[in-house]
Each structure stands twice: as structure tokens, then as C-alpha cells.
Amino acid sequence: MLRKEQNDLLTQTGPTTPMGAMFRSYWIPALLAEELPENDCPPVRVKLLSESLLAFRDTEGRYGLISEFCAHRGVSLWFGRNEENGIRCPYHGWKYDVTGQCVDVPSEPSENGFCSRIKLTGYPLVKQGGVLWTYMGPRDKQPPLPEFEFSLVPPEQTYTSKRLQECNWLQAMEGGIDSSHVSWLHRGNLNSDPLFKGAKGNQYNLNDTKPVFEVVPSDGGLLIGARRNAEDGKFYWRITPWVMPCFTMVPPRGDHPVHGHFWIPIDDESCWAWSFDYHPVRALSKTERDAMVAGKGIHVATIPGTYIPLANKSNNYLMDRDSQKAGHAYSGIDGIGMQDASLQESMGPICDRTRENLSSTDNGIVMARMRLMKAAKALAEKGEVPPGVDPAHHRVRSAAVILAPDQLFKDAARDALTVRPGKAQTSV
Ligand code: FES
Ligand SMILES: [Fe+2]
């Protein structure tokens, strides 16, 4: 349970808020690279951290993320013409480059310097992997580019998708570090989803619905271990790394690709759920990639031309009561991603954490909130760089391991939880 002011601190990420300042310490995923497929292609509106922005790619291939609205009289530059290394407002022709600098005011004589004094907010936008990343914080505090393994492996080994989620980022993120719900909500999918089925670990998941959690701080966030019974008195551990503020990786299953998420606030009542799948040492097979594109595994089928899920709040997520009764889909909702999203959205746009009753399986969530609040305060009061900004903190992997009862997961699985280029994930 949280006090109201704590819930506000954690959930509000607009420009003037402490958590907003913290989010602005990191490179965050802004768009899929596919959204700006070629030079001078149509610009894309994107709202991030409650700021309305416009992404575009200029004639030279440079990416820019600038304020959506023209500095003249506030027209949306989404209507603009993307031409000759800039976006031109269609109203009176003012033109801006990828940094947001005004480069032409046709109605003013160029010698009077009027246009050079006009600059829109502009943020860097950099392609790495299939993602365009941005950094929305102070220029002098800009960290090196992120080093998450999914965006550094060769393109044939990785796949990323995004979808709209109609709730605050934190309740979505909390679902990602809550390994206990897998034995319930997703139980119908473990042995049927093409990107999950066949792993030995699935049986441990299904047989032991009372996982014991052990949470250990890491440099960038937390390592959240969920222990279930295996054979011969041994334990099956599923270990989820959480890197602040909102990166998580799901523990792997067999030789299936490894996956994870980012939850990036659009505003305080919606977020982008980013989902990636990659294999550290091999190309994704055609079957795997087709399944991801079709919305299997942690991905979601979306309305063509949008990133809005086909099953969404407006159609009750295509709930199937017969399937629920028969146990094919435990909640009656099809697909792992929408099973999560439907329940997280059902908590309301911003979950009221003053009314919850947490149990021992929520330890990871409790510790994540503590670390987030502490880091946001340390940044606001002392200018301390939050955990997870340093790219060294990104070199983590999830793992699934069998350990003897006397082994501590943080020691026994230390290598498994670290990126080892050229080495496969540790999985059961
Ligand atoms: S409002 Fe954009 S040029 Fe006038
Ligand atoms: Fe889930």
C-alpha cells in the first residue's frame, strides 16, 4: 500500500514532476524504426512523457524529434510538408530542421535574423536495432547510448513490436516483474503458444502455484527470483532482471527466443508497451518471426496501420466466456500480451495504490517502488544520476535455472544473468 503522495510521485511523469525528471535521465524507445521508413517520409506524431512531439526523417536521413506545434501560431506540424531538410508548416510556411531550429520565415527578410531566434524544443533521435531512441533531458547530462542486448544483436536475431496500453506505465511495469501471475493468468498458454510451448520449465510453472520470491538489488535495479519446486528436492528458479526505470526481461523457456519489455509513459493515463524477442546466438526462424508478427508470445495483433491492439477496451478484449470456462484461456482473453494488458487496464487509468493489500509474492513490486522513489528524490535533491542510466547496467539477461536448495540464485546464476556475447541464454 502507498500513500497518495507516493502514488502521485511514482505515476506522474510530466515535464515538471520528479519522476518525469527521472525518466528524462534515460534514453527511451520513442518509435519503431519502421515508422520513419525513408528520407522525407511523412512525419509521425508521438506523445512521450506528456509532451506532444513530432518525429521526422529529413532529406539527408537525419532523424528529429521536435515540438509538435509551430512556433508562429501553434499549428500542428503533422500537417507540414517534409521537404529539403526540414518540415514546413503549411499555414504560413515557417520551416524547421531536425533540431527544431527555424530555418525559414518566408514573410520576413532573411537579413533581420528573426528566424535564427526561433527554435522549437528538439530532442535527439537515434536508430539502434529496430528502435528509434530519444533522450529528453538536459543536454549536458546526456548519457552514452543504451546497450541492451536485444538492440545490439544482428537484425536477423531480433524482433521488436509496440502497442498502446490504456493505463499508467507503473501498473503495466509491475505486471512485468510479477512472476507469480504466470501460473494463473497464462497457464492456458504455456503449453500451446508457439513461442512458449515445449519447455521443461513449463511443468514446474504449472505444478507449483506458490512461488517463493527472493529479490536482490542490482546496480541498475533489481534481480527478482521466483523459486518453484522441481524434482529431487531441487528448485526451479525464474529470474527477472529489472533495470530502472522500466526495462524488464522475462525468464527464458527452453531454446525459445528471450523476451522482455519497456513501458514508456505517453501521458499519465496511457503508455507504450514495447515488446522484444531475440536469440543471443542464432537467427529467429521464419516460424518464430511469423508467430511474433501474428501477435503470439508476448506480442499482440494490432489494427492494421496502427499500434492499437485488435482486442482492446472498446470491445472487451474479445472476451470468450466459453474459453474461460473450458480453461483454454484462463481469463477468457486470447494471447499472453492482451491477458496482461486487459487486467492492467481494468485497474483504472491510474491504479489507486492506497487501497491495495499486498502479499509476499509482491516483494519485487514493493522494492521496485522504493528504488524508484528513492532515486527520483536523490535526483531532485542532490542531482544524483539514477541507476540504469549507465550502459553497463543494461548488460543483463533473464535466466531460468535448476539449483540445489543450498544455492543462492544471485551467486549460482551470476554468469547466466550477464550478457555473454556469443553464448546462449541459460534456460530450462
Ligand atoms: S502557424 Fe505555422 S507558419 Fe503560421
Ligand atoms: Fe503476464
Side-chain angles (χ1 to χ4, degrees):
M1 208 202 305
L2 293 178
R3 295 192 305 276
K4 181 178 181 307
E5 60 273 23
Q6 292 175 312
N7 202 35
D8 290 348
L9 170 66
L10 285 163
T11 53
Q12 295 174 358
T13 58
T16 59
T17 62
M19 197 54 68
M22 198 165 100
F23 262 92
R24 286 166 177 77
S25 303
Y26 302 88
W27 285 94
I28 56 172
L31 298 98
L32 283 164
E34 69 183 26
E35 294 181 73
L36 294 177
E38 59 192 27
N39 299 352
D40 284 337
C41 61
V44 178
R45 284 190 199 97
V46 52
K47 193 171 186 190
L48 291 172
L49 310 180
S50 300
E51 291 184 48
S52 296
L53 303 166
L54 188 86
F56 72 104
R57 181 167 164 181
D58 77 6
T59 316
E60 307 281 322
R62 290 173 291 222
Y63 293 102
L65 186 62
I66 65 174
S67 167
E68 183 189 339
F69 304 107
C70 181
H72 180 208
R73 278 168 45 211
V75 158
S76 170
L77 292 169
W78 180 79
F79 293 92
R81 298 170 60 95
N82 188 6
E83 57 189 19
E84 292 159 21
N85 285 324
I87 191 108
R88 193 181 286 282
C89 180
Y91 213 6
H92 315 93
W94 293 25
K95 184 176 172 181
Y96 305 89
D97 71 12
V98 286
T99 69
Q101 177 62 51
C102 184
V103 291
D104 191 20
V105 175
S107 57
E108 295 291 317
S110 54
E111 23 341 316
N112 74 3
F114 179 79
C115 136
S116 65
R117 292 193 295 275
I118 306 285
K119 178 154 187 333
L120 296 173
T121 300
Y123 302 120
L125 192 63
V126 175
K127 181 171 181 292
Q128 189 195 79
V131 177
L132 300 177
W133 303 78
T134 191
Y135 165 78
M136 294 168 63
R139 271 298 156 89
D140 59 331
K141 302 267 174 16
Q142 183 174 315
L145 285 171
E147 292 191 21
F148 296 100
E149 190 177 29
F150 82 95
S151 69
L152 295 175
V153 294
E156 61 275 15
Q157 292 175 216
T158 187
Y159 175 79
T160 304
S161 68
K162 75 168 195 184
R163 62 174 165 80
L164 177 70
Q165 183 152 340
E166 298 180 66
C167 69
N168 183 263
W169 76 280
L170 185 64
Q171 67 215 53
M173 192 279 282
E174 289 177 347
I177 56 175
D178 162 25
S179 197
S180 71
H181 77 272
V182 177
S183 307
W184 297 99
L185 180 61
H186 305 314
R187 64 183 303 119
N189 302 73
L190 292 184
N191 287 329
S192 62
D193 189 287
L195 297 166
F196 279 62
K197 68 181 182 186
K200 178 101 175 31
N202 293 351
Q203 285 324 307
Y204 305 132
N205 253 141
L206 293 170
N207 293 343
D208 186 351
T209 53
K210 291 190 168 56
V212 175
F213 276 76
E214 217 170 282
V215 188
V216 181
S218 64
D219 292 341
L222 297 173
L223 293 169
I224 298 151
R227 192 190 81 193
R228 290 177 172 86
N229 293 319
E231 293 96 0
D232 307 325
K234 293 191 171 159
F235 290 129
Y236 168 64
W237 283 92
R238 293 180 60 74
I239 308 160
T240 302
W242 168 65
V243 178
M244 288 174 61
C246 60
F247 172 85
T248 65
M249 280 183 73
V250 182
R253 295 180 187 277
D255 189 47
H256 289 303
V258 203
H259 37 252
H261 303 277
F262 282 95
W263 286 276
I264 302 296
I266 295 172
D267 52 30
D268 294 342
E269 298 193 348
S270 59
C271 63
W272 289 118
W274 287 81
S275 304
F276 60 83
D277 247 295
Y278 74 103
H279 199 292
V281 297
R282 66 162 171 84
L284 304 179
S285 70
K286 179 164 181 330
T287 318
E288 286 169 340
R289 195 173 287 275
D290 287 350
M292 292 166 197
V293 172
K296 300 294 183 193
I298 61 166
H299 305 278
V300 158
T302 48
I303 297 169
T306 77
Y307 296 98
I308 301 168
L310 275 174
N312 58 51
K313 199 155 106 184
S314 72
N315 55 25
N316 277 331
Y317 310 94
L318 307 175
M319 157 73 83
D320 181 342
R321 293 286 178 193
D322 292 335
S323 171
Q324 184 183 44
K325 202 158 241 167
H328 304 314
Y330 191 73
S331 76
I333 308 293
D334 187 36
I336 290 161
M338 285 323 294
Q339 287 163 1
D340 286 326
S342 55
L343 301 193
Q344 292 158 6
E345 290 180 6
S346 78
M347 297 164 161
I350 303 176
C351 178
D352 180 358
R353 293 178 178 76
T354 66
R355 297 161 64 90
E356 63 191 5
N357 295 283
L358 299 181
S359 69
S360 62
T361 58
D362 298 314
N363 284 349
I365 290 171
V366 171
M367 285 180 67
R369 292 176 187 173
M370 304 286 282
R371 288 212 79 176
L372 285 166
M373 288 192 285
K374 192 169 161 219
K377 283 184 185 146
L379 174 66
E381 289 163 13
K382 294 179 265 177
E384 259 176 41
V385 178
V389 169
D390 182 345
H393 298 172
H394 306 164
R395 296 181 208 125
V396 293
R397 279 186 187 169
S398 55
V401 287
I402 303 282
L403 297 177
D406 59 345
Q407 286 181 294
L408 294 173
F409 87 77
K410 73 175 171 52
D411 299 330
R414 186 184 302 271
D415 282 354
L417 293 166
T418 310
V419 169
R420 290 153 298 146
K423 292 236 163 52
Q425 68 274 34
T426 306
S427 184
V428 177

